[in-house]
Amino acid sequence: TWFTIETCYIFHVANCWQEDDNTIVMVAVRWDDIDMSGLVTTPKLVDRHKRLWSYTFHLDSGNLEEMDLSPPDMQMIEFPVVHQGKVGRKCRWIYAVGRCDSTEPEFHRVFKFDLQTGQFASFAF
């Protein structure tokens, strides 16, 4: 089964699990664009908008649900993780590093996303 989504780039998956016989959920960081030409004519990679997304694949129907989990004002997150005991299993919490806007240093915050409530917290350091 092929699933059609808007063009994007996914390098880092936080977690993926099977909900039932026909449903798989993947939570990952989505890049909307990247210059992979080798001719760096675009801003640094860290200046790209990278956000946490949830993808729910319905194997029986071929439908796909996409949801942006990041708050509207969040500019960039990367390197998402879950507790190692939850890898491949349904989880509630996703952690990642990043920043809220371009005035902050790169990877200035740790973010904690609650997949159950949709809320998040950030901790600057």
Side-chain angles (χ1 to χ4, degrees), residues 12-59:
H12 299 114
V13 174
N15 202 9
C16 192
W17 65 89
Q18 191 163 350
E19 289 275 317
D20 56 42
D21 289 343
N22 294 305
T23 308
I24 296 174
V25 177
M26 177 178 74
V27 180
V29 173
R30 172 183 172 151
W31 296 39
D32 288 331
D33 64 5
I34 185 172
D35 180 355
M36 296 185 74
S37 68
L39 306 171
V40 182
T41 59
T42 55
K44 295 187 302 184
L45 292 179
V46 77
D47 291 336
R48 298 296 201 195
H49 285 239
K50 299 179 277 275
R51 301 170 63 75
L52 192 66
W53 282 71
S54 172
Y55 297 90
T56 303
F57 301 89
H58 299 280
L59 304 178

Side-chain angles (χ1 to χ4, degrees), residues 1-8 10 26 30 53-59 61-67:
T1 303
W2 286 95
F3 294 91
T4 303
I5 64 171
E6 192 174 320
T7 301
C8 66
I10 295 175
M26 177 178 74
R30 172 183 172 151
W53 282 71
S54 172
Y55 297 90
T56 303
F57 301 89
H58 299 280
L59 304 178
S61 66
N63 291 331
L64 171 68
E65 296 171 36
E66 302 173 80
M67 184 175 10

Side-chain angles (χ1 to χ4, degrees), residues 53-117:
W53 282 71
S54 172
Y55 297 90
T56 303
F57 301 89
H58 299 280
L59 304 178
D60 53 348
S61 66
N63 291 331
L64 171 68
E65 296 171 36
E66 302 173 80
M67 184 175 10
D68 185 349
L69 302 175
S70 301
D73 60 344
M74 182 179 292
Q75 182 187 18
M76 184 273 291
I77 67 155
E78 248 310 351
F79 309 113
V81 296
V82 296
H83 183 282
Q84 292 300 297
K86 293 291 187 176
V87 172
R89 299 177 180 177
K90 186 172 185 173
C91 61
R92 180 174 181 179
W93 308 104
I94 302 281
Y95 301 88
V97 295
R99 65 182 182 188
C100 287
D101 60 53
S102 60
T103 64
E104 293 184 341
E106 300 172 1
F107 306 115
H108 179 65
R109 295 177 180 271
V110 173
F111 293 95
K112 180 180 180 181
F113 292 89
D114 185 335
L115 299 180
Q116 229 174 32
T117 66

